[in-house]
Amino acid sequence: MLNTILTGEPSDRPPLLIVHGLFGSARNWGVIARRLGTDRQVISVDMRNHGDSHWTESHDYFGMAEDLAEVLEHHGVSDVLGHSMGGKASMVLALTRPDLVRRLVVADIAPVEYGHDQIDNIRKMKQVDLEAIASRSDAAEMMGDLEAATAAFFLQSLDLQEKRWKLNLDVLERDMETILGFPQVEGRYIGPALFLSGANSSYVTDDHHDAIRALFAEPSFEVIEGAGHWLHAEKPREVEAAVRGFLEG
């Protein structure tokens, strides 16, 4: 089963499953988990090939959705919040196992194929000489011309003691086309679904609404002003308020 971090105590409210994006981990969502964990239990996961979860030979959305279903079969029917890659995995979970998902929040992603890729970032991580580094600043320097915030985000997945990335970079690089796409999924999720996006992000546009409505019967849309793709890090209070309001419905 995926590595999980539990925040808060079980209550009369359904638990909330939080699913991070590409190159992330459960810990990236710690602030939101603590805020939302005041009146329910929050289950944050490390996705396959990330963090302290298992590594696999494939990184596809049906496999990721099965991983999430295993977690929910253990913890029970939950609300689900997924960001970016984790948002796509959460959509596939809701479409294939709607019995496990009470309400769905998808953060800054749509069920479409995207044209950008992250191969260059993977190659920058791969060029770090893991045996030669003594600090994260050494690794940051070896990664070259990355923005400081991007480098800091990647370095959260560097295990200095073990001299290893907690990311299966080879598989993520090989399956990047799959990660950027969205699979053909039968069915339609009829539960409530919130599509939350950053006003400064281009990941979810009005042009994507038809693709969303084709798969989700009750979508609602909300924009976080002043936020980009990393809306939970940039505007945590606003994201908390939007998610809490939706879950309390």
Side-chain angles (χ1 to χ4, degrees):
M1 192 165 73
L2 297 176
N3 180 60
T4 61
I5 297 175
L6 301 181
T7 307
E9 298 297 328
S11 71
D12 58 351
R13 298 172 185 239
L16 172 66
L17 177 70
I18 297 183
V19 190
H20 66 78
L22 182 64
F23 306 138
S25 71
R27 296 188 183 281
N28 299 152
W29 281 80
V31 171
I32 300 295
R34 288 190 293 273
R35 291 182 184 279
L36 293 173
T38 57
D39 55 8
R40 72 177 72 225
Q41 187 163 70
V42 178
I43 309 155
S44 305
V45 296
D46 289 337
M47 295 294 277
R48 61 169 58 192
N49 299 311
H50 290 72
D52 293 322
S53 283
H54 57 284
W55 284 18
T56 64
E57 289 303 314
S58 65
H59 200 81
D60 66 277
Y61 286 111
F62 288 117
M64 285 185 265
E66 288 173 3
D67 294 341
L68 298 176
E70 184 180 17
V71 172
L72 293 188
E73 285 168 348
H74 178 76
H75 288 279
V77 175
S78 296
D79 296 323
V80 178
L81 163 59
H83 172 246
S84 198
M85 177 196 76
K88 286 187 172 183
S90 298
M91 285 188 274
V92 174
L93 169 69
L95 291 164
T96 57
R97 291 297 307 272
D99 56 304
L100 295 174
V101 181
R102 189 188 75 113
R103 284 175 174 257
L104 175 68
V105 181
V106 179
D108 213 60
I109 203 73
V112 299
E113 180 178 354
Y114 289 87
H116 62 271
D117 71 48
Q118 300 289 335
I119 297 296
D120 187 57
N121 285 328
I122 289 176
R123 290 173 181 166
K124 287 181 186 298
M125 283 185 270
K126 281 186 169 184
Q127 71 191 24
V128 174
D129 184 349
L130 294 170
E131 294 303 317
I133 58 174
S135 65
R136 282 181 168 76
S137 60
D138 291 341
E141 186 174 347
M142 290 181 186
M143 284 193 288
D145 59 343
L146 282 176
E147 292 183 2
T150 302
F153 171 63
F154 293 160
L155 290 171
Q156 291 180 44
S157 292
L158 177 62
D159 186 332
L160 271 177
Q161 185 174 357
E162 297 293 329
K163 303 284 191 181
R164 61 182 287 267
W165 288 104
K166 299 174 82 170
L167 299 166
N168 191 346
L169 295 174
D170 289 339
V171 166
L172 296 177
E173 181 176 19
R174 189 199 67 204
D175 286 357
M176 185 56 63
E177 184 176 350
T178 299
I179 295 168
L180 295 174
F182 192 79
Q184 289 289 115
V185 187
E186 297 294 329
R188 199 163 183 243
Y189 179 67
I190 61 172
L194 170 65
F195 286 80
L196 194 63
S197 59
N200 300 332
S201 171
S202 60
Y203 276 72
V204 182
T205 68
D206 291 346
D207 291 340
H208 295 143
H209 287 193
D210 285 346
I212 291 169
R213 290 190 176 98
L215 295 173
F216 298 92
E218 289 188 46
S220 56
F221 301 90
E222 188 166 344
V223 176
I224 303 294
E225 294 298 329
H229 184 58
W230 303 101
L231 64 177
H232 59 292
E234 297 166 359
K235 296 289 183 179
R237 291 187 182 278
E238 291 83 351
V239 169
E240 175 208 356
V243 173
R244 187 184 296 277
F246 173 72
L247 296 184
E248 292 176 356

